[in-house]
Amino acid sequence: MALVPCQVLRVAILLSYCSILCNYKAIEMPSHQTYGGSWKFLTFIDLVIQAVFFGICVLTDLSSLLTRGSGSQEQERQLKKLISLRDWMLAVLAFPVGIFVVAVFWIIYAYDREMIYPKLLDNFIPGWLNHGMHTTVLPFILIEMRTSHHAYPSRSSGLAAICTFSVGYILWVCWVHQVTGMWVYPFLEHIGPGARILFFGSTTILMNFLYLLGEVLNSYIWDTQRKPPSWQDVEINFIYMEPSS
């Protein structure tokens, strides 16, 4: 039984993220040796999120293959839980955080790269790796959204979750500044306290907007308002199909 293309794509994307993470961690940059290490950068956190998400996608595909035809209700219940976790992670983390990283990075980079990605970093990070961290995230997550339907959580719980993530990261950035006396991102050094508050508030609002954008895009692609069947059950039963005799 051969895997259909979307499962192959997920494996390839997962391997690409693993490669990007390994290459990034292998780089010896001064910022990696300071307080917080790589974990103070949203780009690195996003890479981990994307790798974990696509790892769950691959695990879901394998579980679907093993569960199909077994007739075990317990295995089907466990598979539904795995699918629910995958869908929640795309809705709350993988899509909004991934799109945020791509959009904000390239907007600031186009305005003044020294504010977000100083030219000095070209001596450490090759161009292909920079695009792997800040560009390919967008097509990868759109491919996933296009190839599989994802059930979004309730809007209130989804927005609460992305707000929690956003505020948590902002507090983490402020704590790193409190400990080291330096901001994680160079442009924060050049704006006043009021502008920083405005920026942090704007980023939280943008994260919420991107969550809603993902919800709308998912509904638009799959037209959920017109399709009454449970998509999780459909995926479990038909993600792998054999040709009829």
Side-chain angles (χ1 to χ4, degrees), residues 11-27:
V11 172
I13 292 172
L14 174 60
L15 291 175
S16 71
Y17 276 124
C18 291
S19 174
I20 291 169
L21 281 168
C22 290
N23 279 276
Y24 179 76
K25 291 298 291 183
I27 297 173

PDB file of all heavy atoms in Angstrom, residues 11-27:
ATOM      1  N   VAL A  11       6.409  14.071   5.309  1.00  0.00           N
ATOM      2  CA  VAL A  11       7.697  13.491   5.707  1.00  0.00           C
ATOM      3  C   VAL A  11       8.839  14.373   5.214  1.00  0.00           C
ATOM      4  O   VAL A  11       9.797  14.654   5.947  1.00  0.00           O
ATOM      5  CB  VAL A  11       7.840  12.058   5.158  1.00  0.00           C
ATOM      6  CG1 VAL A  11       9.253  11.535   5.404  1.00  0.00           C
ATOM      7  CG2 VAL A  11       6.813  11.137   5.804  1.00  0.00           C
ATOM      8  N   ALA A  12       8.748  14.831   3.965  1.00  0.00           N
ATOM      9  CA  ALA A  12       9.798  15.673   3.398  1.00  0.00           C
ATOM     10  C   ALA A  12       9.915  16.994   4.153  1.00  0.00           C
ATOM     11  O   ALA A  12      11.026  17.472   4.432  1.00  0.00           O
ATOM     12  CB  ALA A  12       9.511  15.935   1.915  1.00  0.00           C
ATOM     13  N   ILE A  13       8.776  17.589   4.496  1.00  0.00           N
ATOM     14  CA  ILE A  13       8.800  18.858   5.239  1.00  0.00           C
ATOM     15  C   ILE A  13       9.381  18.656   6.625  1.00  0.00           C
ATOM     16  O   ILE A  13      10.177  19.478   7.113  1.00  0.00           O
ATOM     17  CB  ILE A  13       7.378  19.457   5.314  1.00  0.00           C
ATOM     18  CG1 ILE A  13       6.917  19.902   3.923  1.00  0.00           C
ATOM     19  CG2 ILE A  13       7.339  20.635   6.278  1.00  0.00           C
ATOM     20  CD1 ILE A  13       5.459  20.319   3.858  1.00  0.00           C
ATOM     21  N   LEU A  14       9.006  17.572   7.282  1.00  0.00           N
ATOM     22  CA  LEU A  14       9.566  17.281   8.609  1.00  0.00           C
ATOM     23  C   LEU A  14      11.079  17.129   8.538  1.00  0.00           C
ATOM     24  O   LEU A  14      11.809  17.687   9.378  1.00  0.00           O
ATOM     25  CB  LEU A  14       8.935  16.002   9.167  1.00  0.00           C
ATOM     26  CG  LEU A  14       9.528  15.483  10.487  1.00  0.00           C
ATOM     27  CD1 LEU A  14       9.373  16.519  11.599  1.00  0.00           C
ATOM     28  CD2 LEU A  14       8.879  14.151  10.876  1.00  0.00           C
ATOM     29  N   LEU A  15      11.560  16.399   7.542  1.00  0.00           N
ATOM     30  CA  LEU A  15      13.007  16.211   7.398  1.00  0.00           C
ATOM     31  C   LEU A  15      13.714  17.535   7.118  1.00  0.00           C
ATOM     32  O   LEU A  15      14.822  17.778   7.607  1.00  0.00           O
ATOM     33  CB  LEU A  15      13.291  15.210   6.282  1.00  0.00           C
ATOM     34  CG  LEU A  15      12.884  13.756   6.561  1.00  0.00           C
ATOM     35  CD1 LEU A  15      13.120  12.889   5.330  1.00  0.00           C
ATOM     36  CD2 LEU A  15      13.641  13.201   7.769  1.00  0.00           C
ATOM     37  N   SER A  16      13.076  18.402   6.341  1.00  0.00           N
ATOM     38  CA  SER A  16      13.685  19.706   6.042  1.00  0.00           C
ATOM     39  C   SER A  16      13.800  20.545   7.306  1.00  0.00           C
ATOM     40  O   SER A  16      14.814  21.211   7.521  1.00  0.00           O
ATOM     41  CB  SER A  16      12.877  20.441   4.967  1.00  0.00           C
ATOM     42  OG  SER A  16      11.641  20.887   5.473  1.00  0.00           O
ATOM     43  N   TYR A  17      12.778  20.516   8.163  1.00  0.00           N
ATOM     44  CA  TYR A  17      12.846  21.276   9.415  1.00  0.00           C
ATOM     45  C   TYR A  17      13.918  20.711  10.348  1.00  0.00           C
ATOM     46  O   TYR A  17      14.614  21.466  11.024  1.00  0.00           O
ATOM     47  CB  TYR A  17      11.496  21.283  10.115  1.00  0.00           C
ATOM     48  CG  TYR A  17      10.561  22.355   9.601  1.00  0.00           C
ATOM     49  CD1 TYR A  17       9.300  22.047   9.114  1.00  0.00           C
ATOM     50  CD2 TYR A  17      10.954  23.698   9.594  1.00  0.00           C
ATOM     51  CE1 TYR A  17       8.451  23.028   8.630  1.00  0.00           C
ATOM     52  CE2 TYR A  17      10.109  24.683   9.111  1.00  0.00           C
ATOM     53  CZ  TYR A  17       8.863  24.343   8.638  1.00  0.00           C
ATOM     54  OH  TYR A  17       8.028  25.340   8.163  1.00  0.00           O
ATOM     55  N   CYS A  18      14.025  19.398  10.378  1.00  0.00           N
ATOM     56  CA  CYS A  18      15.081  18.784  11.203  1.00  0.00           C
ATOM     57  C   CYS A  18      16.460  19.218  10.715  1.00  0.00           C
ATOM     58  O   CYS A  18      17.357  19.512  11.512  1.00  0.00           O
ATOM     59  CB  CYS A  18      14.954  17.266  11.171  1.00  0.00           C
ATOM     60  SG  CYS A  18      13.495  16.630  12.029  1.00  0.00           S
ATOM     61  N   SER A  19      16.623  19.262   9.389  1.00  0.00           N
ATOM     62  CA  SER A  19      17.899  19.699   8.817  1.00  0.00           C
ATOM     63  C   SER A  19      18.187  21.155   9.154  1.00  0.00           C
ATOM     64  O   SER A  19      19.313  21.517   9.531  1.00  0.00           O
ATOM     65  CB  SER A  19      17.879  19.493   7.301  1.00  0.00           C
ATOM     66  OG  SER A  19      19.040  20.018   6.698  1.00  0.00           O
ATOM     67  N   ILE A  20      17.170  22.011   9.029  1.00  0.00           N
ATOM     68  CA  ILE A  20      17.345  23.439   9.339  1.00  0.00           C
ATOM     69  C   ILE A  20      17.725  23.630  10.800  1.00  0.00           C
ATOM     70  O   ILE A  20      18.637  24.399  11.133  1.00  0.00           O
ATOM     71  CB  ILE A  20      16.059  24.210   9.002  1.00  0.00           C
ATOM     72  CG1 ILE A  20      15.846  24.257   7.481  1.00  0.00           C
ATOM     73  CG2 ILE A  20      16.117  25.637   9.548  1.00  0.00           C
ATOM     74  CD1 ILE A  20      14.474  24.758   7.074  1.00  0.00           C
ATOM     75  N   LEU A  21      17.029  22.928  11.691  1.00  0.00           N
ATOM     76  CA  LEU A  21      17.323  23.049  13.126  1.00  0.00           C
ATOM     77  C   LEU A  21      18.734  22.574  13.447  1.00  0.00           C
ATOM     78  O   LEU A  21      19.451  23.220  14.219  1.00  0.00           O
ATOM     79  CB  LEU A  21      16.298  22.251  13.936  1.00  0.00           C
ATOM     80  CG  LEU A  21      14.936  22.923  14.151  1.00  0.00           C
ATOM     81  CD1 LEU A  21      13.924  21.922  14.703  1.00  0.00           C
ATOM     82  CD2 LEU A  21      15.077  24.110  15.104  1.00  0.00           C
ATOM     83  N   CYS A  22      19.138  21.448  12.858  1.00  0.00           N
ATOM     84  CA  CYS A  22      20.488  20.920  13.122  1.00  0.00           C
ATOM     85  C   CYS A  22      21.555  21.881  12.617  1.00  0.00           C
ATOM     86  O   CYS A  22      22.554  22.133  13.313  1.00  0.00           O
ATOM     87  CB  CYS A  22      20.644  19.553  12.467  1.00  0.00           C
ATOM     88  SG  CYS A  22      19.682  18.234  13.254  1.00  0.00           S
ATOM     89  N   ASN A  23      21.358  22.426  11.428  1.00  0.00           N
ATOM     90  CA  ASN A  23      22.336  23.367  10.877  1.00  0.00           C
ATOM     91  C   ASN A  23      22.378  24.667  11.674  1.00  0.00           C
ATOM     92  O   ASN A  23      23.452  25.232  11.888  1.00  0.00           O
ATOM     93  CB  ASN A  23      22.009  23.670   9.407  1.00  0.00           C
ATOM     94  CG  ASN A  23      22.497  22.597   8.458  1.00  0.00           C
ATOM     95  OD1 ASN A  23      23.651  22.587   8.041  1.00  0.00           O
ATOM     96  ND2 ASN A  23      21.614  21.669   8.128  1.00  0.00           N
ATOM     97  N   TYR A  24      21.209  25.118  12.126  1.00  0.00           N
ATOM     98  CA  TYR A  24      21.169  26.353  12.910  1.00  0.00           C
ATOM     99  C   TYR A  24      21.861  26.174  14.251  1.00  0.00           C
ATOM    100  O   TYR A  24      22.637  27.034  14.684  1.00  0.00           O
ATOM    101  CB  TYR A  24      19.713  26.780  13.105  1.00  0.00           C
ATOM    102  CG  TYR A  24      19.564  28.037  13.931  1.00  0.00           C
ATOM    103  CD1 TYR A  24      19.847  29.284  13.386  1.00  0.00           C
ATOM    104  CD2 TYR A  24      19.136  27.974  15.247  1.00  0.00           C
ATOM    105  CE1 TYR A  24      19.716  30.444  14.138  1.00  0.00           C
ATOM    106  CE2 TYR A  24      18.993  29.121  16.010  1.00  0.00           C
ATOM    107  CZ  TYR A  24      19.282  30.352  15.446  1.00  0.00           C
ATOM    108  OH  TYR A  24      19.153  31.494  16.208  1.00  0.00           O
ATOM    109  N   LYS A  25      21.599  25.055  14.911  1.00  0.00           N
ATOM    110  CA  LYS A  25      22.208  24.810  16.224  1.00  0.00           C
ATOM    111  C   LYS A  25      23.710  24.586  16.119  1.00  0.00           C
ATOM    112  O   LYS A  25      24.439  24.777  17.102  1.00  0.00           O
ATOM    113  CB  LYS A  25      21.544  23.609  16.900  1.00  0.00           C
ATOM    114  CG  LYS A  25      20.105  23.859  17.321  1.00  0.00           C
ATOM    115  CD  LYS A  25      20.005  24.973  18.356  1.00  0.00           C
ATOM    116  CE  LYS A  25      20.610  24.561  19.698  1.00  0.00           C
ATOM    117  NZ  LYS A  25      20.459  25.616  20.722  1.00  0.00           N
ATOM    118  N   ALA A  26      24.170  24.157  14.943  1.00  0.00           N
ATOM    119  CA  ALA A  26      25.600  23.906  14.765  1.00  0.00           C
ATOM    120  C   ALA A  26      26.399  25.189  14.589  1.00  0.00           C
ATOM    121  O   ALA A  26      27.625  25.182  14.694  1.00  0.00           O
ATOM    122  CB  ALA A  26      25.822  22.986  13.558  1.00  0.00           C
ATOM    123  N   ILE A  27      25.701  26.310  14.327  1.00  0.00           N
ATOM    124  CA  ILE A  27      26.388  27.588  14.130  1.00  0.00           C
ATOM    125  C   ILE A  27      26.814  28.161  15.474  1.00  0.00           C
ATOM    126  O   ILE A  27      26.020  28.229  16.409  1.00  0.00           O
ATOM    127  CB  ILE A  27      25.461  28.596  13.404  1.00  0.00           C
ATOM    128  CG1 ILE A  27      25.105  28.073  12.013  1.00  0.00           C
ATOM    129  CG2 ILE A  27      26.128  29.961  13.304  1.00  0.00           C
ATOM    130  CD1 ILE A  27      24.059  28.925  11.304  1.00  0.00           C
TER     131      ILE A  27
END
